[in-house]
C-alpha cells in the first residue's frame, strides 16, 4: 500500500517520462508535491524503490526506471496496443561457460558469425554500444536481408510481450531506416541505445514503445532519435 504522496510522485514520474522520456528533476518533484525540501523527495523515492515500483540507475543523473505501476495509475495510462509487431524466430542454444575472445570469427555448421556488441536496454536507454565483445553463430536463414548484421544481449523486460526476454540475444540488421511498428535499435540523443518499437507521431516526433504495459512510451523530437538497426532474429540460451 502506497501513501498518497508516494502515489502522487509515482504518477508524476510516469507522466513526465511518458511525455518527455526523462523523469522530472528533484526540484520539479518538490514543487509539484508542495514539499519544503528535497529530503522529502529522497524519502519518497527510497520508499518507492524499496517497494519495487521504481529502480534508480547508478552513475547517471536523473536516472529512474519505472518497474511497475499500481492498478490505479496503470488504468489511467494504459499503453497503446501493439500491432503489426515482430514474431521472433527463436533459436535455442546452450549458454557457454565463458565467452570466447573477440578474435576473427569462425563459421560453424553453415552458420554465420556476427559480432556481439554488448548489452541493449529493453527498458530505459543505456549507454551507447560500441565495442565488440565476442562473436555468435547465427543460422543463415535468420539473416534474410542484405547488409551488415550484429547481435546484442537484452537487458530488461520491457519487450516481453513481443517475446523478447531478459538475457536473450537479438540479431540486428544494420539500417538507418525503419517503418512504423518495426522493433529497432534506437540511439537517443547521440548517447544512449534502447530496443523499442518505433512509431512516428505526426509532425516531428517519434515514440519508442515498449511491449510491456508497465513501461510508458518514450517520446522524442525526431532529430534526437537515430535508427541503428532493425530486429531480424532472436537467440535464446538456457
Amino acid at each position: 500500500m502506497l501513501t498518497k504522496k508516494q502515489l502522487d510522485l509515482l504518477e508524476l514520474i510516469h507522466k513526465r517520462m511518458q511525455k518527455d522520456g526523462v523523469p522530472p528533476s528533484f526540484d520539479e518533484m518538490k514543487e509539484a508535491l508542495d514539499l519544503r525540501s528535497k529530503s522529502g523527495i529522497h524519502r519518497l523515492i527510497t520508499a518507492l524503490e524499496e517497494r519495487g515500483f521504481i529502480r534508480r540507475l547508478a552513475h547517471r543523473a536523473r536516472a529512474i526506471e519505472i518497474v511497475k505501476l499500481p492498478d490505479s495509475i496503470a488504468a489511467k495510462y494504459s499503453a497503446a496496443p501493439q500491432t503489426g509487431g515482430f514474431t521472433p524466430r527463436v533459436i535455442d542454444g546452450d549458454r557457454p561457460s565463458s565467452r570466447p575472445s573477440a578474435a576473427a570469427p569462425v563459421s560453424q555448421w553453415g552458420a554465420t558469425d556476427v559480432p556481439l556488441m554488448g548489452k541493449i536496454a529493453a527498458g530505459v536507454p543505456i549507454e551507447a554500444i560500441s565495442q565488440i565483445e565476442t562473436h555468435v553463430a547465427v543460422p543463415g536463414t535468420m539473416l534474410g536481408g542484405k547488409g551488415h548484421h550484429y547481435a546484442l544481449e537484452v537487458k530488461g523486460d520491457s519487450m516481453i510481450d513481443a517475446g523478447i526476454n531478459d538475457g536473450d540475444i537479438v540479431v540486428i540488421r544494420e539500417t538507418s531506416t525503419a517503418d512504423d511498428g518495426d522493433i529497432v535499435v534506437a540511439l537517443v540523443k547521440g548517447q544512449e541505445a534502447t530496443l523499442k518499437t518505433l512509431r512516428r507521431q505526426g509532425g516531428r516526433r517519434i515514440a519508442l514503445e515498449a511491449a510491456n504495459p508497465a513501461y510508458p512510451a518514450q517520446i522524442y523530437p525526431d532529430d534526437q532519435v537515430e535508427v541503428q538497426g532493425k530486429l531480424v532474429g532472436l537467440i535464446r540460451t538456457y
Side-chain angles (χ1 to χ4, degrees):
M1 179 73 69
L2 298 180
T3 67
K4 185 178 185 304
K5 286 291 187 184
Q6 290 166 357
L7 281 170
D8 289 346
L9 179 58
L10 185 59
E11 183 172 5
L12 174 67
I13 294 170
H14 176 73
K15 287 172 62 177
R16 178 65 178 273
M17 291 183 69
Q18 193 171 45
K19 178 183 177 184
D20 299 327
V22 294
S25 68
F26 275 33
D27 284 329
E28 290 169 328
M29 294 179 193
K30 179 173 69 72
E31 182 176 345
L33 271 64
D34 195 26
L35 296 178
R36 292 184 177 181
S37 69
K38 287 189 285 189
S39 62
I41 294 298
H42 281 285
R43 287 193 293 271
L44 292 173
I45 290 288
T46 299
L48 290 173
E49 186 172 34
E50 290 175 346
R51 288 161 176 76
F53 288 94
I54 65 172
R55 181 184 301 124
R56 282 181 283 194
L57 306 179
H59 311 304
R60 285 181 51 209
R62 294 173 63 176
I64 296 175
E65 174 182 2
I66 293 180
V67 177
K68 62 180 180 180
L69 292 171
D71 292 342
S72 59
I73 296 178
K76 291 171 63 176
Y77 302 94
S78 58
Q82 303 292 317
T83 59
F86 168 77
T87 302
R89 291 173 289 169
V90 180
I91 305 298
D92 294 339
D94 295 325
R95 184 178 295 277
S97 57
S98 61
R99 285 181 170 173
S101 64
V106 179
S107 297
Q108 301 179 35
W109 304 292
T112 299
D113 288 316
V114 301
L116 178 63
M117 303 294 290
K119 291 182 172 64
I120 181 73
V124 297
I126 57 176
E127 289 185 3
I129 299 153
S130 60
Q131 290 188 334
I132 297 175
E133 294 190 357
T134 183
H135 292 81
V136 292
V138 177
T141 55
M142 189 176 284
L143 309 179
K146 295 181 179 180
H148 178 68
H149 291 76
Y150 59 94
L152 297 163
E153 181 180 347
V154 173
K155 177 179 173 62
D157 63 355
S158 76
M159 297 302 289
I160 56 174
D161 287 350
I164 304 170
N165 299 331
D166 183 63
D168 286 349
I169 302 295
V170 289
V171 181
I172 306 296
R173 178 169 59 84
E174 191 172 300
T175 180
S176 60
T177 61
D179 297 324
D180 277 7
D182 285 345
I183 296 178
V184 302
V185 172
L187 185 66
V188 179
K189 300 180 181 178
Q191 297 179 347
E192 301 171 324
T194 189
L195 183 73
K196 291 290 184 292
T197 299
L198 181 144
R199 297 194 190 278
R200 293 176 177 84
Q201 295 192 334
R204 296 175 58 84
R205 298 181 73 81
I206 287 179
L208 300 177
E209 297 180 352
N212 181 337
Y215 293 84
Q218 303 162 7
I219 302 173
Y220 302 94
D222 62 0
D223 61 358
Q224 293 184 4
V225 177
E226 178 185 348
V227 174
Q228 295 207 317
K230 178 179 174 180
L231 182 65
V232 297
L234 184 69
I235 300 172
R236 180 161 297 151
T237 55
Y238 298 94

